[in-house]
Amino acid sequence: MAATVSLRQGDLVWGKLGRYPPWPGKIVNAPKDLKKPRGKKCLFVKFFGTEDHAWIKVEQLKPYHAHKEEMIKANKGKRFQQAVDAVEEFLKKVKAKQEQNSGDDKGKKAEGKSKKQAGEKKRKASGSVSPTKKSREQSPRKRGRPPKEDKDATSPQPSSLKKLAMKTVSRFSWPPPTSERTTDDPHFHHFLLSQTEKPSVTYQAISKRLKVSEEVTGSTSIQAADSTAINGNITPTDKKIGFLGLGLMGSGIVSNLLKMGHTVTVWNRTAEKEGAHLGRTPAEVVSTCDITFACMADPKAAKDLVLGPSGVLQGIRPGKCYVDMSTVDPETVTELAQVIVSRGGRFLEAPVAGNQQLSNDGMLMILAAGDHGVYEDCSSCFQAMGRTSFFLGEVGNAARMMLIINMVQGSFMATIAEGMTLAQVTGQSQQTLLDILIQSQLSSIFLDQKCQNILQGNFKPDFYLKYIQKDLRLAIAMGDSVNHPTPMAAAANEVYKRAKALDQSDNDMSAVYRAYIH
């Protein structure tokens, strides 16, 4: 997208952010705490149909009216249509206001003219006019404010709805924050995290961007060399942040925390990971930080991290916050919460939905539950690592929701693989199948990426197959615990187990395809 006209505050526009489609919005003044990104010519945009907002590069903006038909033809989603409807509803109100003001002005003109004619008749009837008054009427008007009647008569009116919208759109009242609109449901809170596009950063690059300093305790505190009090449009918390676990997801999360100005102390379970050991023990990290995040592979690893030798529990003191981002079962996370709280600590579960690429891009989805105060304290961290965050109430709810999401995702992936192999054995083109699917209601980035993996035979891990199988297994067990059948997930789980038997555990989940061709 490229701006072809000069844009200014109050204009209605189409704004494009990252890989998301152009969205209708309005250029507004940014809040004081959201600084403009350095070195970029950007405008701050509030989007219709959502509470999201962001600094958008000027070249990624187009005027709303001039490109309305083009954008509507290119995008057919329900939420997109709702956003367009919100713009059109707003414009209807603007037009109604314009017509009302126009009617008021005409009424004032008519009233003024009627009074003037009545005065003329009265003067003629009296047959005389005072010399002073006559002289005032005949003399040229002095410079200054015009009489009220003349001011109304000469007040310029917008020539079109478009012109009016461009000038008065700043009066548009955006929806109240979600926290206000969801007060009837104390177990659900959702906020959209507005931010500029963030480049992919992997953990391999961390050492080039960090300055490392040894603290008295011996833990390694690392801070981005170019961090400032306010980095980009996120104001980093002044709390000390710890992070345990630098796997596929953790590495990207830490990189984005650093990029957005947070000071982070890290520790990794495997000493050989990335050729560096940046912390001595989990207990040491927890004891020196205010909030410590952890991202482990499975329930056993999550428990060992907390309960094992020199584990998290040994570093917990009253007021220390522990945020577990691992995808585990509700029973495990509840047990961990109990032991943390028993030592005076504060606990939040916050598993993340996404993959390595989304982690690197800072576009994860965070599902949180537990201590709401900790959730609020983590606000700047969640903004750095993700686009969307949900608070789901009591501990265990986030684990349940994440398992359901991954159960659906894993089952869908198995179905994709099944369809691709069926196309092959029946003599159909797999590429043609993908082309058709992408034009159908099933179209998604996930579908496209995973089918491309299959077509190219490239199963480099973006989401480990062994982990999606683990999540399917946990979801099935969760269904069993409440006597709820999960036959689709159970069938998919068997296919993943076969893929694991074919040594596909450390490949991407799309490698489940190989379970069908062997």
mmCIF file of all heavy atoms in Angstrom, residues 188-193 195 198 249 253 257 293 323-325 348-354 358 362-369 375 378-392 398 401-402 405:
data_model
loop_
_atom_site.group_PDB
_atom_site.id
_atom_site.type_symbol
_atom_site.label_atom_id
_atom_site.label_comp_id
_atom_site.label_asym_id
_atom_site.label_seq_id
_atom_site.Cartn_x
_atom_site.Cartn_y
_atom_site.Cartn_z
ATOM 1 N N PHE A 188 -13.714 -13.209 32.477
ATOM 2 C CA PHE A 188 -13.202 -12.986 31.121
ATOM 3 C C PHE A 188 -12.766 -11.551 30.953
ATOM 4 O O PHE A 188 -13.503 -10.630 31.217
ATOM 5 C CB PHE A 188 -14.288 -13.303 30.094
ATOM 6 C CG PHE A 188 -13.838 -13.122 28.670
ATOM 7 C CD1 PHE A 188 -13.106 -14.108 28.042
ATOM 8 C CD2 PHE A 188 -14.125 -11.961 27.981
ATOM 9 C CE1 PHE A 188 -12.676 -13.945 26.739
ATOM 10 C CE2 PHE A 188 -13.693 -11.792 26.690
ATOM 11 C CZ PHE A 188 -12.974 -12.791 26.065
ATOM 12 N N HIS A 189 -11.526 -11.372 30.567
ATOM 13 C CA HIS A 189 -11.014 -10.035 30.279
ATOM 14 C C HIS A 189 -10.096 -10.140 29.082
ATOM 15 O O HIS A 189 -9.244 -11.000 29.018
ATOM 16 C CB HIS A 189 -10.244 -9.485 31.473
ATOM 17 C CG HIS A 189 -9.566 -8.178 31.174
ATOM 18 N ND1 HIS A 189 -10.274 -7.045 30.873
ATOM 19 C CD2 HIS A 189 -8.253 -7.846 31.109
ATOM 20 C CE1 HIS A 189 -9.428 -6.056 30.652
ATOM 21 N NE2 HIS A 189 -8.195 -6.518 30.776
ATOM 22 N N HIS A 190 -10.292 -9.250 28.137
ATOM 23 C CA HIS A 190 -9.533 -9.350 26.879
ATOM 24 C C HIS A 190 -9.037 -7.981 26.480
ATOM 25 O O HIS A 190 -9.776 -7.024 26.522
ATOM 26 C CB HIS A 190 -10.468 -9.899 25.797
ATOM 27 C CG HIS A 190 -9.882 -9.856 24.419
ATOM 28 N ND1 HIS A 190 -10.637 -9.592 23.316
ATOM 29 C CD2 HIS A 190 -8.621 -10.039 23.973
ATOM 30 C CE1 HIS A 190 -9.881 -9.614 22.243
ATOM 31 N NE2 HIS A 190 -8.657 -9.880 22.617
ATOM 32 N N PHE A 191 -7.769 -7.863 26.162
ATOM 33 C CA PHE A 191 -7.307 -6.604 25.587
ATOM 34 C C PHE A 191 -6.435 -6.882 24.384
ATOM 35 O O PHE A 191 -5.710 -7.855 24.331
ATOM 36 C CB PHE A 191 -6.581 -5.731 26.613
ATOM 37 C CG PHE A 191 -5.333 -6.326 27.204
ATOM 38 C CD1 PHE A 191 -4.115 -6.227 26.550
ATOM 39 C CD2 PHE A 191 -5.381 -6.978 28.437
ATOM 40 C CE1 PHE A 191 -2.974 -6.746 27.114
ATOM 41 C CE2 PHE A 191 -4.230 -7.497 28.996
ATOM 42 C CZ PHE A 191 -3.029 -7.385 28.333
ATOM 43 N N LEU A 192 -6.552 -5.996 23.394
ATOM 44 C CA LEU A 192 -5.732 -6.104 22.199
ATOM 45 C C LEU A 192 -4.506 -5.245 22.404
ATOM 46 O O LEU A 192 -4.603 -4.095 22.800
ATOM 47 C CB LEU A 192 -6.522 -5.631 20.978
ATOM 48 C CG LEU A 192 -7.655 -6.591 20.584
ATOM 49 C CD1 LEU A 192 -8.521 -5.944 19.515
ATOM 50 C CD2 LEU A 192 -7.103 -7.900 20.072
ATOM 51 N N LEU A 193 -3.356 -5.799 22.146
ATOM 52 C CA LEU A 193 -2.099 -5.127 22.425
ATOM 53 C C LEU A 193 -1.601 -4.445 21.166
ATOM 54 O O LEU A 193 -1.219 -5.097 20.213
ATOM 55 C CB LEU A 193 -1.087 -6.157 22.927
ATOM 56 C CG LEU A 193 -1.611 -6.950 24.126
ATOM 57 C CD1 LEU A 193 -0.721 -8.145 24.387
ATOM 58 C CD2 LEU A 193 -1.665 -6.067 25.351
ATOM 59 N N GLN A 195 0.774 -2.380 18.781
ATOM 60 C CA GLN A 195 2.206 -2.210 18.625
ATOM 61 C C GLN A 195 2.555 -2.123 17.157
ATOM 62 O O GLN A 195 1.782 -2.467 16.296
ATOM 63 C CB GLN A 195 2.966 -3.362 19.272
ATOM 64 C CG GLN A 195 2.524 -4.726 18.770
ATOM 65 C CD GLN A 195 2.820 -5.794 19.790
ATOM 66 O OE1 GLN A 195 2.863 -5.536 20.975
ATOM 67 N NE2 GLN A 195 3.053 -6.990 19.337
ATOM 68 N N LYS A 198 7.105 -5.845 14.333
ATOM 69 C CA LYS A 198 8.355 -6.194 14.988
ATOM 70 C C LYS A 198 9.112 -7.209 14.147
ATOM 71 O O LYS A 198 8.554 -8.216 13.752
ATOM 72 C CB LYS A 198 8.074 -6.776 16.379
ATOM 73 C CG LYS A 198 7.510 -5.738 17.331
ATOM 74 C CD LYS A 198 7.226 -6.348 18.675
ATOM 75 C CE LYS A 198 5.835 -6.902 18.749
ATOM 76 N NZ LYS A 198 5.448 -7.339 20.053
ATOM 77 N N MET A 249 9.989 -21.449 21.541
ATOM 78 C CA MET A 249 9.152 -20.311 21.888
ATOM 79 C C MET A 249 9.894 -19.319 22.784
ATOM 80 O O MET A 249 9.832 -18.103 22.582
ATOM 81 C CB MET A 249 7.877 -20.792 22.601
ATOM 82 C CG MET A 249 7.113 -21.841 21.848
ATOM 83 S SD MET A 249 6.418 -21.256 20.286
ATOM 84 C CE MET A 249 4.934 -20.488 20.879
ATOM 85 N N ILE A 253 10.528 -15.067 22.602
ATOM 86 C CA ILE A 253 9.911 -14.246 23.638
ATOM 87 C C ILE A 253 10.956 -13.362 24.313
ATOM 88 O O ILE A 253 10.760 -12.154 24.492
ATOM 89 C CB ILE A 253 9.202 -15.141 24.678
ATOM 90 C CG1 ILE A 253 7.972 -15.804 24.058
ATOM 91 C CG2 ILE A 253 8.798 -14.329 25.905
ATOM 92 C CD1 ILE A 253 7.309 -16.848 24.939
ATOM 93 N N LEU A 257 11.242 -9.251 24.549
ATOM 94 C CA LEU A 257 11.283 -8.551 25.830
ATOM 95 C C LEU A 257 12.466 -7.578 25.860
ATOM 96 O O LEU A 257 12.349 -6.433 26.296
ATOM 97 C CB LEU A 257 11.401 -9.557 26.985
ATOM 98 C CG LEU A 257 10.146 -10.368 27.316
ATOM 99 C CD1 LEU A 257 10.480 -11.466 28.340
ATOM 100 C CD2 LEU A 257 9.043 -9.462 27.867
ATOM 101 N N PHE A 293 9.195 -15.640 34.383
ATOM 102 C CA PHE A 293 8.430 -16.439 33.423
ATOM 103 C C PHE A 293 9.155 -17.767 33.194
ATOM 104 O O PHE A 293 10.381 -17.835 33.307
ATOM 105 C CB PHE A 293 8.328 -15.716 32.076
ATOM 106 C CG PHE A 293 7.538 -14.448 32.111
ATOM 107 C CD1 PHE A 293 8.143 -13.240 32.437
ATOM 108 C CD2 PHE A 293 6.185 -14.436 31.797
ATOM 109 C CE1 PHE A 293 7.433 -12.054 32.461
ATOM 110 C CE2 PHE A 293 5.454 -13.259 31.812
ATOM 111 C CZ PHE A 293 6.081 -12.062 32.143
ATOM 112 N N VAL A 323 5.226 -16.843 36.625
ATOM 113 C CA VAL A 323 4.300 -16.967 35.500
ATOM 114 C C VAL A 323 4.706 -18.178 34.665
ATOM 115 O O VAL A 323 5.763 -18.175 34.033
ATOM 116 C CB VAL A 323 4.322 -15.695 34.623
ATOM 117 C CG1 VAL A 323 3.304 -15.815 33.486
ATOM 118 C CG2 VAL A 323 4.046 -14.449 35.460
ATOM 119 N N ASP A 324 3.886 -19.223 34.676
ATOM 120 C CA ASP A 324 4.189 -20.442 33.924
ATOM 121 C C ASP A 324 3.511 -20.381 32.561
ATOM 122 O O ASP A 324 2.280 -20.364 32.457
ATOM 123 C CB ASP A 324 3.705 -21.670 34.695
ATOM 124 C CG ASP A 324 4.307 -22.962 34.153
ATOM 125 O OD1 ASP A 324 4.687 -22.975 32.964
ATOM 126 O OD2 ASP A 324 4.415 -23.934 34.915
ATOM 127 N N MET A 325 4.314 -20.359 31.506
ATOM 128 C CA MET A 325 3.800 -20.263 30.149
ATOM 129 C C MET A 325 3.768 -21.619 29.439
ATOM 130 O O MET A 325 3.505 -21.699 28.237
ATOM 131 C CB MET A 325 4.651 -19.269 29.344
ATOM 132 C CG MET A 325 4.807 -17.919 30.014
ATOM 133 S SD MET A 325 5.571 -16.660 28.978
ATOM 134 C CE MET A 325 4.159 -16.157 27.988
ATOM 135 N N LEU A 348 0.605 -16.945 38.220
ATOM 136 C CA LEU A 348 -0.216 -16.734 37.029
ATOM 137 C C LEU A 348 0.170 -17.795 36.004
ATOM 138 O O LEU A 348 1.351 -18.033 35.765
ATOM 139 C CB LEU A 348 0.041 -15.344 36.442
ATOM 140 C CG LEU A 348 -0.829 -14.954 35.240
ATOM 141 C CD1 LEU A 348 -2.239 -14.588 35.706
ATOM 142 C CD2 LEU A 348 -0.217 -13.760 34.487
ATOM 143 N N GLU A 349 -0.832 -18.471 35.436
ATOM 144 C CA GLU A 349 -0.545 -19.356 34.300
ATOM 145 C C GLU A 349 -0.798 -18.540 33.039
ATOM 146 O O GLU A 349 -1.748 -17.751 32.974
ATOM 147 C CB GLU A 349 -1.423 -20.607 34.322
ATOM 148 C CG GLU A 349 -2.921 -20.336 34.293
ATOM 149 C CD GLU A 349 -3.745 -21.588 34.021
ATOM 150 O OE1 GLU A 349 -3.251 -22.491 33.319
ATOM 151 O OE2 GLU A 349 -4.886 -21.653 34.502
ATOM 152 N N ALA A 350 0.061 -18.700 32.048
ATOM 153 C CA ALA A 350 -0.079 -17.912 30.818
ATOM 154 C C ALA A 350 0.459 -18.676 29.612
ATOM 155 O O ALA A 350 1.397 -18.229 28.946
ATOM 156 C CB ALA A 350 0.639 -16.577 30.970
ATOM 157 N N PRO A 351 -0.121 -19.839 29.297
ATOM 158 C CA PRO A 351 0.327 -20.562 28.106
ATOM 159 C C PRO A 351 0.087 -19.729 26.854
ATOM 160 O O PRO A 351 -0.821 -18.886 26.824
ATOM 161 C CB PRO A 351 -0.537 -21.830 28.117
ATOM 162 C CG PRO A 351 -1.752 -21.456 28.906
ATOM 163 C CD PRO A 351 -1.267 -20.505 29.958
ATOM 164 N N VAL A 352 0.904 -19.965 25.832
ATOM 165 C CA VAL A 352 0.821 -19.159 24.622
ATOM 166 C C VAL A 352 0.410 -20.007 23.423
ATOM 167 O O VAL A 352 0.841 -21.147 23.272
ATOM 168 C CB VAL A 352 2.164 -18.457 24.317
ATOM 169 C CG1 VAL A 352 2.455 -17.411 25.380
ATOM 170 C CG2 VAL A 352 3.314 -19.453 24.240
ATOM 171 N N ALA A 353 -0.428 -19.441 22.588
ATOM 172 C CA ALA A 353 -0.836 -20.091 21.348
ATOM 173 C C ALA A 353 -0.042 -19.472 20.213
ATOM 174 O O ALA A 353 0.033 -18.248 20.088
ATOM 175 C CB ALA A 353 -2.329 -19.913 21.112
ATOM 176 N N GLY A 354 0.560 -20.319 19.405
ATOM 177 C CA GLY A 354 1.350 -19.813 18.291
ATOM 178 C C GLY A 354 2.451 -20.793 17.935
ATOM 179 O O GLY A 354 2.416 -21.955 18.317
ATOM 180 N N LEU A 358 5.662 -16.871 15.031
ATOM 181 C CA LEU A 358 4.867 -15.886 15.759
ATOM 182 C C LEU A 358 5.580 -15.437 17.029
ATOM 183 O O LEU A 358 5.468 -14.281 17.437
ATOM 184 C CB LEU A 358 3.490 -16.465 16.091
ATOM 185 C CG LEU A 358 2.579 -16.740 14.893
ATOM 186 C CD1 LEU A 358 1.267 -17.374 15.361
ATOM 187 C CD2 LEU A 358 2.289 -15.453 14.126
ATOM 188 N N GLY A 362 6.753 -11.572 17.821
ATOM 189 C CA GLY A 362 6.019 -10.930 18.918
ATOM 190 C C GLY A 362 4.530 -10.907 18.670
ATOM 191 O O GLY A 362 3.844 -9.954 19.050
ATOM 192 N N MET A 363 3.989 -11.951 18.046
ATOM 193 C CA MET A 363 2.579 -11.989 17.683
ATOM 194 C C MET A 363 1.850 -13.176 18.309
ATOM 195 O O MET A 363 0.874 -13.686 17.764
ATOM 196 C CB MET A 363 2.449 -12.063 16.152
ATOM 197 C CG MET A 363 3.033 -10.879 15.418
ATOM 198 S SD MET A 363 2.143 -9.341 15.743
ATOM 199 C CE MET A 363 0.713 -9.582 14.697
ATOM 200 N N LEU A 364 2.316 -13.637 19.455
ATOM 201 C CA LEU A 364 1.673 -14.759 20.129
ATOM 202 C C LEU A 364 0.331 -14.350 20.724
ATOM 203 O O LEU A 364 0.033 -13.161 20.878
ATOM 204 C CB LEU A 364 2.584 -15.291 21.241
ATOM 205 C CG LEU A 364 3.907 -15.930 20.808
ATOM 206 C CD1 LEU A 364 4.810 -16.153 22.001
ATOM 207 C CD2 LEU A 364 3.650 -17.244 20.068
ATOM 208 N N MET A 365 -0.477 -15.342 21.087
ATOM 209 C CA MET A 365 -1.707 -15.105 21.831
ATOM 210 C C MET A 365 -1.509 -15.690 23.223
ATOM 211 O O MET A 365 -1.138 -16.860 23.361
ATOM 212 C CB MET A 365 -2.899 -15.770 21.142
ATOM 213 C CG MET A 365 -4.212 -15.607 21.899
ATOM 214 S SD MET A 365 -5.637 -16.222 20.968
ATOM 215 C CE MET A 365 -5.263 -17.972 20.860
ATOM 216 N N ILE A 366 -1.739 -14.872 24.237
ATOM 217 C CA ILE A 366 -1.501 -15.304 25.617
ATOM 218 C C ILE A 366 -2.830 -15.570 26.304
ATOM 219 O O ILE A 366 -3.730 -14.723 26.290
ATOM 220 C CB ILE A 366 -0.716 -14.238 26.404
ATOM 221 C CG1 ILE A 366 0.648 -13.989 25.761
ATOM 222 C CG2 ILE A 366 -0.526 -14.655 27.851
ATOM 223 C CD1 ILE A 366 0.782 -12.663 25.094
ATOM 224 N N LEU A 367 -2.963 -16.765 26.902
ATOM 225 C CA LEU A 367 -4.139 -17.109 27.704
ATOM 226 C C LEU A 367 -3.706 -17.148 29.161
ATOM 227 O O LEU A 367 -2.858 -17.965 29.527
ATOM 228 C CB LEU A 367 -4.704 -18.470 27.280
ATOM 229 C CG LEU A 367 -5.022 -18.663 25.796
ATOM 230 C CD1 LEU A 367 -5.682 -20.014 25.577
ATOM 231 C CD2 LEU A 367 -5.920 -17.541 25.278
ATOM 232 N N ALA A 368 -4.262 -16.278 29.982
ATOM 233 C CA ALA A 368 -3.809 -16.168 31.367
ATOM 234 C C ALA A 368 -4.938 -16.472 32.350
ATOM 235 O O ALA A 368 -6.117 -16.284 32.054
ATOM 236 C CB ALA A 368 -3.257 -14.770 31.627
ATOM 237 N N ALA A 369 -4.544 -16.948 33.530
ATOM 238 C CA ALA A 369 -5.506 -17.205 34.607
ATOM 239 C C ALA A 369 -4.744 -17.243 35.924
ATOM 240 O O ALA A 369 -3.559 -17.601 35.963
ATOM 241 C CB ALA A 369 -6.241 -18.538 34.381
ATOM 242 N N TYR A 375 -1.215 -10.439 36.409
ATOM 243 C CA TYR A 375 -1.584 -10.253 35.003
ATOM 244 C C TYR A 375 -1.400 -8.799 34.587
ATOM 245 O O TYR A 375 -0.837 -8.496 33.529
ATOM 246 C CB TYR A 375 -3.034 -10.697 34.824
ATOM 247 C CG TYR A 375 -3.625 -10.464 33.453
ATOM 248 C CD1 TYR A 375 -3.197 -11.199 32.353
ATOM 249 C CD2 TYR A 375 -4.637 -9.528 33.271
ATOM 250 C CE1 TYR A 375 -3.765 -11.004 31.098
ATOM 251 C CE2 TYR A 375 -5.203 -9.320 32.017
ATOM 252 C CZ TYR A 375 -4.758 -10.054 30.943
ATOM 253 O OH TYR A 375 -5.313 -9.854 29.703
ATOM 254 N N CYS A 378 2.191 -7.741 34.351
ATOM 255 C CA CYS A 378 2.864 -8.302 33.170
ATOM 256 C C CYS A 378 2.456 -7.604 31.878
ATOM 257 O O CYS A 378 2.862 -8.025 30.793
ATOM 258 C CB CYS A 378 2.537 -9.795 33.038
ATOM 259 S SG CYS A 378 3.249 -10.829 34.313
ATOM 260 N N SER A 379 1.686 -6.551 31.979
ATOM 261 C CA SER A 379 1.121 -5.911 30.788
ATOM 262 C C SER A 379 2.168 -5.576 29.728
ATOM 263 O O SER A 379 2.031 -5.928 28.554
ATOM 264 C CB SER A 379 0.370 -4.637 31.187
ATOM 265 O OG SER A 379 -0.107 -3.954 30.045
ATOM 266 N N SER A 380 3.248 -4.885 30.117
ATOM 267 C CA SER A 380 4.249 -4.491 29.114
ATOM 268 C C SER A 380 4.972 -5.710 28.537
ATOM 269 O O SER A 380 5.370 -5.705 27.372
ATOM 270 C CB SER A 380 5.260 -3.515 29.714
ATOM 271 O OG SER A 380 6.125 -4.155 30.632
ATOM 272 N N CYS A 381 5.123 -6.741 29.350
ATOM 273 C CA CYS A 381 5.766 -7.968 28.864
ATOM 274 C C CYS A 381 4.878 -8.660 27.834
ATOM 275 O O CYS A 381 5.355 -9.114 26.786
ATOM 276 C CB CYS A 381 6.054 -8.921 30.024
ATOM 277 S SG CYS A 381 7.226 -8.285 31.238
ATOM 278 N N PHE A 382 3.579 -8.742 28.130
ATOM 279 C CA PHE A 382 2.658 -9.367 27.191
ATOM 280 C C PHE A 382 2.566 -8.562 25.895
ATOM 281 O O PHE A 382 2.394 -9.130 24.809
ATOM 282 C CB PHE A 382 1.275 -9.519 27.816
ATOM 283 C CG PHE A 382 1.196 -10.577 28.893
ATOM 284 C CD1 PHE A 382 0.191 -10.562 29.843
ATOM 285 C CD2 PHE A 382 2.137 -11.595 28.955
ATOM 286 C CE1 PHE A 382 0.113 -11.536 30.831
ATOM 287 C CE2 PHE A 382 2.075 -12.574 29.934
ATOM 288 C CZ PHE A 382 1.055 -12.539 30.873
ATOM 289 N N GLN A 383 2.664 -7.236 25.998
ATOM 290 C CA GLN A 383 2.656 -6.408 24.795
ATOM 291 C C GLN A 383 3.877 -6.691 23.931
ATOM 292 O O GLN A 383 3.812 -6.671 22.709
ATOM 293 C CB GLN A 383 2.630 -4.929 25.164
ATOM 294 C CG GLN A 383 1.313 -4.461 25.759
ATOM 295 C CD GLN A 383 1.343 -2.984 26.047
ATOM 296 O OE1 GLN A 383 1.462 -2.166 25.149
ATOM 297 N NE2 GLN A 383 1.253 -2.625 27.314
ATOM 298 N N ALA A 384 5.009 -6.943 24.590
ATOM 299 C CA ALA A 384 6.252 -7.204 23.848
ATOM 300 C C ALA A 384 6.224 -8.555 23.144
ATOM 301 O O ALA A 384 6.730 -8.694 22.035
ATOM 302 C CB ALA A 384 7.447 -7.141 24.800
ATOM 303 N N MET A 385 5.626 -9.550 23.774
ATOM 304 C CA MET A 385 5.680 -10.909 23.227
ATOM 305 C C MET A 385 4.460 -11.302 22.415
ATOM 306 O O MET A 385 4.510 -12.271 21.650
ATOM 307 C CB MET A 385 5.884 -11.921 24.355
ATOM 308 C CG MET A 385 4.722 -12.023 25.330
ATOM 309 S SD MET A 385 4.995 -13.234 26.667
ATOM 310 C CE MET A 385 6.175 -12.401 27.710
ATOM 311 N N GLY A 386 3.356 -10.593 22.551
ATOM 312 C CA GLY A 386 2.141 -11.028 21.877
ATOM 313 C C GLY A 386 1.263 -9.899 21.409
ATOM 314 O O GLY A 386 1.439 -8.746 21.786
ATOM 315 N N ARG A 387 0.308 -10.257 20.574
ATOM 316 C CA ARG A 387 -0.646 -9.273 20.066
ATOM 317 C C ARG A 387 -1.928 -9.257 20.887
ATOM 318 O O ARG A 387 -2.544 -8.224 21.068
ATOM 319 C CB ARG A 387 -0.976 -9.579 18.600
ATOM 320 C CG ARG A 387 -2.013 -8.639 18.006
ATOM 321 C CD ARG A 387 -2.207 -8.864 16.525
ATOM 322 N NE ARG A 387 -3.250 -8.016 15.988
ATOM 323 C CZ ARG A 387 -3.095 -6.724 15.689
ATOM 324 N NH1 ARG A 387 -1.947 -6.149 15.898
ATOM 325 N NH2 ARG A 387 -4.093 -6.018 15.196
ATOM 326 N N THR A 388 -2.342 -10.423 21.368
ATOM 327 C CA THR A 388 -3.620 -10.528 22.062
ATOM 328 C C THR A 388 -3.451 -11.276 23.369
ATOM 329 O O THR A 388 -2.701 -12.248 23.438
ATOM 330 C CB THR A 388 -4.656 -11.277 21.201
ATOM 331 O OG1 THR A 388 -4.669 -10.705 19.897
ATOM 332 C CG2 THR A 388 -6.039 -11.194 21.788
ATOM 333 N N SER A 389 -4.159 -10.819 24.397
ATOM 334 C CA SER A 389 -4.080 -11.473 25.695
ATOM 335 C C SER A 389 -5.474 -11.628 26.284
ATOM 336 O O SER A 389 -6.287 -10.702 26.207
ATOM 337 C CB SER A 389 -3.204 -10.638 26.637
ATOM 338 O OG SER A 389 -3.231 -11.152 27.935
ATOM 339 N N PHE A 390 -5.743 -12.797 26.849
ATOM 340 C CA PHE A 390 -7.026 -13.061 27.498
ATOM 341 C C PHE A 390 -6.780 -13.412 28.970
ATOM 342 O O PHE A 390 -5.863 -14.181 29.269
ATOM 343 C CB PHE A 390 -7.743 -14.251 26.852
ATOM 344 C CG PHE A 390 -8.213 -14.032 25.450
ATOM 345 C CD1 PHE A 390 -7.353 -14.214 24.376
ATOM 346 C CD2 PHE A 390 -9.515 -13.651 25.187
ATOM 347 C CE1 PHE A 390 -7.775 -14.024 23.074
ATOM 348 C CE2 PHE A 390 -9.958 -13.463 23.880
ATOM 349 C CZ PHE A 390 -9.083 -13.650 22.822
ATOM 350 N N PHE A 391 -7.609 -12.877 29.865
ATOM 351 C CA PHE A 391 -7.576 -13.327 31.256
ATOM 352 C C PHE A 391 -8.834 -14.158 31.489
ATOM 353 O O PHE A 391 -9.954 -13.691 31.297
ATOM 354 C CB PHE A 391 -7.534 -12.146 32.233
ATOM 355 C CG PHE A 391 -7.423 -12.586 33.663
ATOM 356 C CD1 PHE A 391 -6.206 -12.986 34.181
ATOM 357 C CD2 PHE A 391 -8.545 -12.637 34.473
ATOM 358 C CE1 PHE A 391 -6.104 -13.419 35.488
ATOM 359 C CE2 PHE A 391 -8.455 -13.073 35.786
ATOM 360 C CZ PHE A 391 -7.229 -13.468 36.301
ATOM 361 N N LEU A 392 -8.656 -15.409 31.924
ATOM 362 C CA LEU A 392 -9.759 -16.375 31.955
ATOM 363 C C LEU A 392 -10.208 -16.786 33.349
ATOM 364 O O LEU A 392 -10.919 -17.771 33.503
ATOM 365 C CB LEU A 392 -9.358 -17.622 31.150
ATOM 366 C CG LEU A 392 -8.970 -17.354 29.692
ATOM 367 C CD1 LEU A 392 -8.531 -18.640 29.011
ATOM 368 C CD2 LEU A 392 -10.120 -16.724 28.934
ATOM 369 N N ALA A 398 -6.885 -21.455 31.932
ATOM 370 C CA ALA A 398 -6.027 -21.206 30.773
ATOM 371 C C ALA A 398 -5.488 -22.531 30.219
ATOM 372 O O ALA A 398 -5.404 -22.717 28.999
ATOM 373 C CB ALA A 398 -4.881 -20.271 31.141
ATOM 374 N N MET A 401 -8.326 -24.215 28.283
ATOM 375 C CA MET A 401 -8.586 -23.566 27.004
ATOM 376 C C MET A 401 -7.477 -23.844 26.002
ATOM 377 O O MET A 401 -7.740 -24.106 24.816
ATOM 378 C CB MET A 401 -8.746 -22.055 27.204
ATOM 379 C CG MET A 401 -9.203 -21.305 25.956
ATOM 380 S SD MET A 401 -10.893 -21.734 25.460
ATOM 381 C CE MET A 401 -11.840 -20.769 26.662
ATOM 382 N N MET A 402 -6.220 -23.817 26.463
ATOM 383 C CA MET A 402 -5.107 -24.057 25.551
ATOM 384 C C MET A 402 -5.125 -25.481 25.003
ATOM 385 O O MET A 402 -4.842 -25.717 23.819
ATOM 386 C CB MET A 402 -3.780 -23.788 26.261
ATOM 387 C CG MET A 402 -2.561 -23.906 25.360
ATOM 388 S SD MET A 402 -2.644 -22.814 23.910
ATOM 389 C CE MET A 402 -2.534 -21.219 24.695
ATOM 390 N N ILE A 405 -7.718 -25.646 22.278
ATOM 391 C CA ILE A 405 -7.238 -25.000 21.054
ATOM 392 C C ILE A 405 -6.261 -25.906 20.312
ATOM 393 O O ILE A 405 -6.364 -26.111 19.092
ATOM 394 C CB ILE A 405 -6.572 -23.648 21.386
ATOM 395 C CG1 ILE A 405 -7.628 -22.644 21.848
ATOM 396 C CG2 ILE A 405 -5.810 -23.095 20.180
ATOM 397 C CD1 ILE A 405 -7.055 -21.373 22.427
#
